Amino acid sequence: MSNVFVNPNPAIVATGPARTLLPSESGSIVVFTKAAALTITLPAPTTAGLRYDFVQNGAGAAQTVTIDAGAGLLLGNWNFTNAGGTTAGTPARNLNFLTAASALGDYATFVSNGTHWICRAFTGITGGLSFT
């Protein structure tokens, strides 16, 4: 008998203009395109271990998709091959998948430490992501 992991939360296909995630959706993979501007709001990071993964599924149009920390703040970094960005210890409010720059396969993971959202993200395109 082999061990098989089954995520109890299915993928969430997010479409615009806004989507607020619930704590009960922790563990979900949020899939989006940039066909329209979209803001996805995270729940308050008061429960350590809440986790959400975000994947850009297609280039879409030149629209920005924003992951909003909601009532919390986020700390973390994003990488692009040999460069990237960081909150440098100063909490940010948003991670942005930017207009024409971010691309298919760019992704981010957010995990709550009980106080802040910790973010790790990757883009394959220069200027694909930013913290604001």
Side-chain angles (χ1 to χ4, degrees):
M1 177 176 220
S2 64
N3 293 328
V4 177
F5 173 76
V6 177
N7 185 351
N9 295 320
I12 296 169
V13 177
T15 58
R19 173 68 155 84
T20 299
L21 298 175
L22 303 172
S24 61
E25 295 173 311
S26 177
S28 294
I29 298 170
V30 182
V31 179
F32 60 88
T33 66
K34 293 187 307 174
L38 170 64
T39 298
I40 302 169
T41 303
L42 297 167
T46 53
T47 303
L50 289 178
R51 177 188 172 130
Y52 301 91
D53 293 295
F54 298 87
V55 177
Q56 184 169 325
N57 185 26
Q63 301 292 330
T64 297
V65 174
T66 300
I67 312 302
D68 184 338
L73 294 172
L74 62 93
L75 296 167
N77 61 66
W78 61 267
N79 295 309
F80 163 70
T81 354
N82 60 357
T86 180
T87 60
T90 302
R93 177 70 62 196
N94 302 306
L95 173 68
N96 304 294
F97 288 79
L98 298 171
T99 58
S102 62
L104 172 68
D106 288 358
Y107 65 88
T109 297
F110 287 79
V111 178
S112 170
N113 68 1
T115 302
H116 296 293
W117 287 105
I118 307 303
C119 172
R120 179 148 177 92
F122 177 82
T123 181
I125 305 292
T126 301
L129 298 172
S130 74
F131 286 113
T132 55

